Amino acid sequence: MTVKMKLASAVASGLAGLVALVDVGFASVEKRWALPVPLPPQSVYLDPFSFAVLGENATFRNNSVTDYFNPTNTAAPFFQIFDPSFATEVLGPNPSFQRIAYNPGYAYAHEAPIYMADTNEVYFSSNDGGPLGYSSWYNNSVVSKINMTEVEDAINVAGGSPVDVNIQITTLSLPDTVQMNNGGTGPYYGNLLLVNSGRATLPPNLVMVNPNPPYNTTVLLDNYFGRQFNSLNDVKVHRASGNIFFTDPTYGYLNGFRPAPEIPTQVYRYNPATGAVKVVADGFYKCNGVAFNPSETVAYVSDTGISGGFEGTDQTLPATIYAFDIDPLTQAFTNRRVFAYADAGVPDGIQLDSLGNVYSGTGEGISVWNPEGTLIGKFFLNSTAAEMIFAGPGRLVILDETTLYLAKIQAQGIDLAYP
Ligand SMILES: *[C@@H]1O[C@H](CO)[C@@H](O)[C@H](O)[C@H]1NC(C)=O
Ligand SMILES: *[C@@H]1O[C@H](CO)[C@@H](O)[C@H](O)[C@H]1NC(C)=O
Ligand SMILES: *[C@@H]1O[C@H](CO)[C@@H](O)[C@H](O)[C@H]1NC(C)=O
Ligand SMILES: *[C@@H]1O[C@H](CO)[C@@H](O)[C@H](O)[C@H]1NC(C)=O
C-alpha cells in the first residue's frame, strides 16, 4: 500500500489524531499520527530524539540480556511508545495491562500459545529444559490451559482492568507422543497443532492433539526420510496453501535434553495433502519463531543466535528477525533481508496483527515493529517473554515464564484458524 492509500484507509476507518504528512520522498509511515493527548493509560512515550545522543558521561548498556532499556525506570508492566502509531494503531485509547496468573517458582508459561475461540481458552507449554521448567533429559515438560471467561469474570469481580488476578490453570494429561512441546498453532481442524522438541532419543514431531479429554493425538511427522530432526521449535499454517511450516534449531541439545545435532538448523514445509516434507530455508544460527504477513506473501523467521544454552551468550550473533518472500512455485523462503534486530535479548515467537505489525517476545517483554521494520513500541515486562497470542479481539496474552499477562488493546491478531 502506498502512504496515500494508507492515509485514505485510515481516514475512512475513522482513526483520530492524523497529522499532515511530510513528504520525505519515500514511503515512510512513521510519525503519521500525532501522539494522543492524554497518553493511553499505563504508557510512557520515548521520543527517539530523547535518547539519540546520550553523551560521554552516560551509562551505556553493555549486556542486552540483563541490562534493559527503561530510561524512565517505570515499574512493569507498562506500554513503552517509540512511535505514535503504537498508541493509535496498537493500544487504542483505553488499553490495560495486568497479571492474570502467576507462580513464582515454576516456569509453566513458556511457549506454544494457542487460542481456542469456541471454548475461550488459551493453551501453552512449560519451559522445556530451561530455568524453573522442571524438565530435562529424564522429565517431560507439560501443557496447560487457562479459561479466559474465568479471567474476565475475576477481573470484573475485582473492579475492572487493570487489576491483577491469579486464575487457576489446568494441566493436561497428554499421551507420551508429546515430548517437550515448544511450538503450537491452531485451531487446526478443531485440534491443537503442536511441534515438539523430543526428549532423549524420543523423536521430535508434528502432532495434532484433541483439545478435550482424552487429549488423544495423531502424529503427522516425526522424521526427515528416516533421520530425526534436532528439536522442533515453532510452527504456523500457511492458510492459503494449507501447508505447515516449522523450525528446527538445536535447543534440545543446548538445553541438555536431546543428543548432539545431526542435521542443519533449517525451516521445513510439510504438505498434509501428500505427506511430503522439504526444506524451505537454511543458513541460520538458531531459527526460532515463524509467522506470515496478513496476505501470506512474506514469511518472518527469527534467529536467536545469541542464546546458546550451555554454550552461553554471544552478543555478536543475531538476535534478528529476517523477512523472506515466499516463492510461488516452491514456497522456498527467498530474498532474505533483515527485518528487525531486537535491542534486548532475543526475538523468539512471532505473531502479527491485522495491520501487519510484527510482535515478538524479547528480553524485556514484547517488542512491536511496524511493517517497515521500525520498532514502534513494547509491552514492557522487565523480564524475558518468549511468546504471546491474540486471544480474541483486542486481547493479547503474554507468556512470561512464571506469569501470564493480559493486555487489552485495540489491535486484533490475524486469523490462525485452519481451515
Ligand atoms: C527490573 O529488574 C531488575 C532485576 O531483574 C531490577 O533490578 C530492576 O529494579 C527492575 N526495574 C524496574 C523498573 O522494576
Ligand atoms: C519433573 O516434573 C514435575 C512436574 O511436571 C516436577 O514436579 C518434578 O519436580 C520434575 N522432576 C525433576 C527432577 O525436575
Ligand atoms: C470457563 O469458565 C466459565 C465460567 O466459570 C465456565 O462457564 C465454562 O464452562 C468454562 N469453560 C470450560 C471449557 O471449562
Ligand atoms: C481422537 O479420537 C477421536 C475418536 O476416535 C477421533 O475421532 C479424533 O480424530 C481423534 N483426534 C486426534 C487429534 O487424533
Side-chain angles (χ1 to χ4, degrees):
M1 224 172 7
T2 66
V3 174
K4 262 193 183 138
M5 284 163 67
K6 280 194 173 183
L7 279 172
S9 67
V11 170
S13 65
L15 287 173
L18 190 63
V19 289
L21 184 71
V22 181
D23 184 1
V24 288
F26 60 94
S28 177
V29 297
E30 279 106 52
K31 295 198 175 185
R32 282 177 302 146
W33 314 107
L35 202 62
V37 180
L39 280 183
Q42 293 178 267
S43 65
V44 166
Y45 175 55
L46 290 173
D47 186 331
F49 284 125
S50 71
F51 56 87
V53 179
L54 293 178
E56 60 201 20
N57 296 323
T59 306
F60 291 89
R61 298 162 64 205
N62 52 26
N63 185 325
S64 85
V65 178
T66 56
D67 297 348
Y68 298 144
F69 188 69
N70 183 4
T72 54
N73 204 28
T74 304
F78 70 100
F79 306 111
Q80 214 173 41
I81 302 170
F82 296 102
D83 185 88
S85 64
F86 187 64
T88 53
E89 288 187 353
V90 173
L91 299 180
N94 198 23
S96 61
F97 200 177
Q98 65 208 26
R99 291 173 182 83
I100 55 171
Y102 41 93
N103 180 351
Y106 182 26
Y108 64 89
H110 176 57
E111 285 252 27
I114 303 171
Y115 177 61
M116 301 297 268
D118 56 348
T119 58
N120 198 24
E121 292 173 300
V122 173
Y123 292 71
F124 48 86
S125 67
S126 63
N127 196 308
D128 43 330
L132 297 181
Y134 301 101
S135 59
S136 64
W137 183 279
Y138 301 103
N139 204 4
N140 197 5
S141 64
V142 297
V143 175
S144 308
K145 62 177 185 174
I146 188 166
N147 180 336
M148 295 304 293
T149 308
E150 282 183 26
V151 170
E152 296 285 4
D153 288 351
I155 291 171
N156 286 337
V157 167
S161 298
V163 61
D164 289 347
V165 294
N166 196 358
I167 301 303
Q168 186 73 43
I169 62 161
T170 304
T171 293
L172 278 50
S173 179
L174 295 183
D176 285 344
T177 44
V178 178
Q179 293 291 332
M180 296 298 210
N181 173 231
N182 196 88
T185 189
Y188 183 73
Y189 295 100
N191 298 301
L192 314 174
L193 183 64
L194 303 184
V195 288
N196 304 306
S197 287
R199 183 172 56 84
T201 55
L202 297 172
N205 57 16
L206 172 67
V207 175
M208 282 195 305
V209 180
N210 178 351
N212 302 306
Y215 304 117
N216 52 309
T217 62
T218 299
V219 180
L220 300 177
L221 182 74
D222 71 359
N223 71 90
Y224 183 77
F225 297 91
R227 299 166 67 188
Q228 286 198 2
F229 297 106
N230 295 318
S231 42
L232 300 184
N233 192 284
D234 205 354
V235 61
K236 284 283 187 329
V237 177
H238 185 262
R239 295 165 75 233
S241 61
N243 291 323
I244 300 169
F245 292 77
F246 55 88
T247 60
D248 186 32
T250 52
Y251 283 114
Y253 170 67
L254 295 171
N255 287 332
F257 64 87
R258 283 279 293 154
E262 293 180 338
I263 197 164
T265 289
Q266 305 182 119
V267 184
Y268 294 84
R269 182 191 85 169
Y270 174 73
N271 180 338
T274 64
V277 58
K278 60 183 272 187
V279 175
V280 293
D282 67 1
F284 300 97
Y285 289 88
K286 288 129 195 153
C287 54
N288 199 311
V290 59
F292 302 106
N293 71 335
S295 63
E296 296 192 308
T297 52
V298 172
Y300 297 101
V301 178
S302 59
D303 189 338
T304 51
I306 75 170
S307 296
F310 72 77
E311 291 178 352
T313 300
D314 180 348
Q315 292 195 89
T316 65
L317 294 182
T320 304
I321 299 176
Y322 295 94
F324 302 81
D325 296 326
I326 302 169
D327 183 67
L329 178 65
T330 63
Q331 288 194 319
F333 291 1
T334 62
N335 192 16
R336 170 188 172 125
R337 61 265 186 193
V338 168
F339 174 73
Y341 170 70
D343 73 278
V346 292
D348 199 315
I350 307 172
Q351 308 289 349
L352 274 85
D353 69 23
S354 57
L355 300 172
N357 295 309
V358 177
Y359 299 55
S360 187
T362 66
E364 49 186 31
I366 304 298
S367 287
V368 181
W369 295 270
N370 69 14
E372 295 176 15
T374 298
L375 182 69
I376 59 172
K378 291 179 183 174
F379 295 80
F380 196 95
L381 294 176
N382 200 37
S383 61
T384 296
E387 257 283 21
M388 75 250 99
I389 191 76
F390 282 95
R395 288 198 308 214
L396 188 71
V397 171
I398 299 171
L399 279 54
D400 189 32
E401 304 295 335
T402 58
T403 307
L404 282 173
Y405 287 87
L406 170 64
K408 292 190 188 177
I409 56 177
Q410 176 177 286
Q412 320 247 332
I414 57 174
D415 193 358
L416 298 174
Y418 187 84

